[in-house]
């Protein structure tokens, strides 16, 4: 006698749910796999949605599969317009309704995979219902129709990833875009001195950015701010963050974190081992093994596969992972992996921080672009907590190498040992990632003592700018004296006993500090030099509404 086929229901048919369903099918040809999706589309590219606003990506190109194509290729029973409303764990059934007809349904399961995603936060602001979220294809259709028919003024609320990507694409489509951020900076995963570089690029490209902006009211024609400003708004985009869609799990009595997010074990099983959960609806663990809400596509895809593997009895787990995210902002790329400095400090740790500003490839080969890298690590053990990168060509490559290093447990000083690909059009014989390793090594060995941009003026040290007289004239730290590096040896006897030396990006400052320390002067360096200091200062000034 044959055992009856395994009945698996997947709730949610986008990244996590479809990864789970297709992997399951590859591992089990006989299972009855049903995918329930509330919306009209499954397996769509939700990370690609903003790029349709500029016409860069065609609408149909965002639809990667249809229920028919999934039936044909994977023999999946994909039911769109089917909303799951209740899970009866004792009876092992899912009940719900067809959203177009209202017709109820009840389906039995042996195993259940929840991938209901996350939903846009709608802050309690009068008139906010006029704002368009950008999470699904129907969201995109509504927003695009409004943008195409309304006037040119668009206000985007929230300067996280969706906000900046929407702003970039709407600007490319010729709209007047204002980006309003309640917090002090754009792109919250970055630390402020890196976010300031993104902010400057948005300014350069004609996106008006206001930070510390409290929206008080949205009317049919305007967005009002607490400051009294009133911005013309033919279209308003809602990008104020997302929350895990965990209500179904909560109602079913599954363990859900107080602050939101379905709790799962390393195999992605919920508190009911017959029910798995993946994607934006769950809490995972970050690089410090703390609970983390990481609504990113990479995790959803990886978790879908892990859940399917474990469900089929294969050894599979999803342990702590650094979150890695990246976005393009016009000519810049910006991203981060692991924890930023703020998060590490919030966890009660005291990290060491270094900044570098290398060129994307050998300076003598035409077309090199600037990169800005930040490494956050523990100087005693070399443990990397996180890294951030902003810049031109090759920013993504460096970020990915750093994400790999972080995930693999490579020490900060061992970044110097990574044998990275090199030819002049692509990098340098000492790649920017290797250079981070060299700098980390110097710090760990006690050869260099970096002070941060926010510590410089209160350090009590004499400030010495070792750049050229021309560079100094163009801008310097208040109170700094200019002693170009090549004249520093002669000047050493006349310096204060404790100094802070700096240059433009940190390299000459490093040479200067080693020289002075050997001549008996107690010299610290300024991490990332004048460039980081300036970006840090810019981050302290809230950008007012235009
Ligand atoms: P987010 O959490 O990244 O950013 C939301 C921003 O809105 C925050 O900066 C927050 O301070 C701000 N905000 C909240 N309330 C506000 C208000 N009333 N007025 C003004 N600003 C307000 O969220 P998101 O941009 O909606 O993106 C959702 C998730 O999707 C994020 O986790 C994001 O990382 C992810 N995502 C990633 C990418 C990528 O990696 N390229 C792209 C898109 C989305």
């Amino acid at each position: 006698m044959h055992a009856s086929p395994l009945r698996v229901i997947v709730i949610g048919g986008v990244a996590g749910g479809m990864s789970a369903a297709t992997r399951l099918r590859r591992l089990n040809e006989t299972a009855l796999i049903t995918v329930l999706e509330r919306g009209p589309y499954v397996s769509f590219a939700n990370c690609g949605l903003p790029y349709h606003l500029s016409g860069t990506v065609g609408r149909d190109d965002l639809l990667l599969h249809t229920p028919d194509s999934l039936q044909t290729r994977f023999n999946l029973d994909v039911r769109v317009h089917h909303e799951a409303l209740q899970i009866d764990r004792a009876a092992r059934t899912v009940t719900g309704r067809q959203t177009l007809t209202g017709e109820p349904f009840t389906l039995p399961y042996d195993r259940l995979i929840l991938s209901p995603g996350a939903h846009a936060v709608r802050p309690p602001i009068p008139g906010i219902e006029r704002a368009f979220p950008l999470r699904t294809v129907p969201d995109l259709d509504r927003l695009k129709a409004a943008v195409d028919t309304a006037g040119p003024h668009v206000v985007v609320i929230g300067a996280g990833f969706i906000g900046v990507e929407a702003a970039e694409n709407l600007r490319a489509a010729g709209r007047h875009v204002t980006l309003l951020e309640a917090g002090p900076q754009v792109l919250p995963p970055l630390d402020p001195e890196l976010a300031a570089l993104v902010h400057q690029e948005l300014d350069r490209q004609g996106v008006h950015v206001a930070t510390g902006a409290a929206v008080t009211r949205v009317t049919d024609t305007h967005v009002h701010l607490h400051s009294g400003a009133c911005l013309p708004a033919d279209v308003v985009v809602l990008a104020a963050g997302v929350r895990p869609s965990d209500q179904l799990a909560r109602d079913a009595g599954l363990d859900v974190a107080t602050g939101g997010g379905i709790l799962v074990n390393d195999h992605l099983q919920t508190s009911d081992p017959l029910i798995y959960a993946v994607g934006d609806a769950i809490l995972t663990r970050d690089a410090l093994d703390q609970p983390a809400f990481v609504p990113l596509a990479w995790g959803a895809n990886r978790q879908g596969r892990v859940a399917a593997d474990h469900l089929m009895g294969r050894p599979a787990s999803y342990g702590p992972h650094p979150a890695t995210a990246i976005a393009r902002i016009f000519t810049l790329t910006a991203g981060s992996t692991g924890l930023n400095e703020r998060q590490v400090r919030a966890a009660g740790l005291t990290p060491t921080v270094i900044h570098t500003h290398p060129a994307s490839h050998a300076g003598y080969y035409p077309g090199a672009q600037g990169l800005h890298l930040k490494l956050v690590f523990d100087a005693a053990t070399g443990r990397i907590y996180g890294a951030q990168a902003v810049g031109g060509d090759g920013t993504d490559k460096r970020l990915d190498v750093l994400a790999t290093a972080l995930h693999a447990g490579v020490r900060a000083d061992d970044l110097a040992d990574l044998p990275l690909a090199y030819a002049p059009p692509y990098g340098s014989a000492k790649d920017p990632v290797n250079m981070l390793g060299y700098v980390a090594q110097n710090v760990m060995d006690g050869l260099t003592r970096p002070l941060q941009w926010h510590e410089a003026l209160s350090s009590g040290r004499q400030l010495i700018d070792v750049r050229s007289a021309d560079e100094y004239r163009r801008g310097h730290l208040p109170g700094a004296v200019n002693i170009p590096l090549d004249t520093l040896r002669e000047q050493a006897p006349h310096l204060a006993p404790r100094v802070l030396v700096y240059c433009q990006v940190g390299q000459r400052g490093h040479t200067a500090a080693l020289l002075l320390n050997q001549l008996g002067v107690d010299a610290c360096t300024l991490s990332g030099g004048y460039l980081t200091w300036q970006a840090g200062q810019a981050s302290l000034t809230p950008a007012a509404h235009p």
Side-chain angles (χ1 to χ4, degrees), residues 34 45 91 169 183 192 207 216 226 230 274 315 326 365 424 461 487 535 546:
T34 306
N169 283 280
V207 173
T216 52
H226 184 68
C230 171
L274 302 183
I326 189 166
Y365 189 87
R461 291 171 177 266
T487 62

Side-chain angles (χ1 to χ4, degrees), residues 148-477:
D148 289 348
T149 53
H153 293 100
V154 182
V155 172
V156 179
I157 299 179
F161 279 100
I162 294 181
V164 294
E165 288 177 349
E168 185 204 46
N169 283 280
L170 289 164
R171 183 76 192 123
R175 298 300 179 274
H176 297 288
V177 182
T178 304
L179 185 55
L180 299 179
E181 168 56 49
Q185 64 167 73
V186 302
L187 290 186
L190 299 181
D191 285 318
E193 73 279 21
L194 277 285
L197 303 169
V198 174
H199 190 138
Q200 287 161 5
E201 173 68 359
L202 288 162
D203 283 345
R204 271 193 297 272
Q205 301 290 345
V207 173
H208 304 294
V209 185
T211 52
V215 177
T216 52
R217 198 155 49 95
V218 179
T219 67
D220 286 349
T221 51
H222 288 82
V223 169
H224 296 259
L225 303 186
H226 184 68
S227 62
C230 171
L231 308 170
D234 301 309
V235 177
V236 182
V237 180
L238 178 67
V242 296
R243 300 298 308 145
S245 298
D246 53 18
Q247 195 57 43
L248 191 61
R250 206 181 281 271
D251 292 344
L254 298 173
D255 287 352
V256 173
T258 324
I262 304 171
L263 297 173
V264 291
N265 65 15
D266 273 359
H267 307 301
L268 302 172
Q269 290 165 297
T270 65
S271 48
D272 179 339
L274 302 183
I275 305 179
Y276 292 79
V278 300
D280 290 0
I282 71 171
L283 284 192
T284 53
R285 281 176 296 129
D286 66 17
L288 288 180
D289 212 8
Q290 309 172 118
F293 174 50
V294 185
L296 294 170
W298 182 86
N301 280 275
R302 179 78 192 107
Q303 292 152 18
R305 184 181 165 108
V306 166
D309 278 6
H310 189 262
L311 195 156
M312 289 312 305
R314 302 171 76 86
S317 59
Y318 188 92
H321 275 80
T324 303
I326 189 166
R328 189 191 63 195
I329 304 97
F330 298 97
T331 66
L332 280 188
T333 300
S336 66
T337 183
L339 302 172
N340 61 33
E341 183 181 352
R342 208 171 40 233
Q343 291 166 322
V344 175
R345 291 193 188 283
L349 299 164
T350 307
T352 292
V353 168
I354 55 183
H355 299 86
T356 60
H357 305 281
S360 56
H361 61 243
Y364 62 81
Y365 189 87
Q369 299 181 2
L371 306 181
H372 310 280
L373 304 177
K374 173 169 179 172
L375 188 71
V376 183
F377 66 106
D378 182 305
T381 63
R383 178 180 181 177
I384 300 175
Y385 294 127
Q388 293 158 56
V390 173
D393 280 354
T395 302
D396 55 340
K397 166 167 86 165
R398 275 55 187 229
L399 190 62
D400 276 344
V401 172
L402 290 164
T404 308
L406 173 50
H407 189 61
V410 172
R411 288 162 42 120
D413 50 334
D414 283 344
L415 294 175
D417 266 332
L418 297 180
L420 300 172
Y422 162 62
Y426 301 108
S428 302
K430 289 180 195 154
D431 187 85
V433 173
N434 295 141
M435 285 303 292
L436 281 177
Y438 286 121
V439 178
Q441 225 165 48
N442 286 334
V443 175
M444 291 170 72
D445 292 348
L447 271 179
T448 319
R449 283 169 296 147
L451 291 185
Q452 297 306 314
W453 60 270
H454 49 87
E455 298 170 321
L457 299 184
S458 56
S459 67
R461 291 171 177 266
Q462 182 184 19
L463 303 178
I464 299 176
D465 186 326
V466 298
R467 298 175 301 165
S468 68
D470 261 1
E471 289 172 285
Y472 176 82
R473 251 193 309 276
R474 285 196 292 268
H476 53 263
L477 266 64

Side-chain angles (χ1 to χ4, degrees), residues 497-523:
R498 295 171 70 247
V499 302
L500 173 64
V501 282
Y502 73 89
C503 60
Q504 184 63 18
V505 298
Q507 219 161 2
R508 283 170 288 175
H510 168 62
T511 302
L514 290 192
L515 167 68
L516 291 178
N517 283 331
Q518 292 179 63
L519 297 178
V521 179
D522 177 345

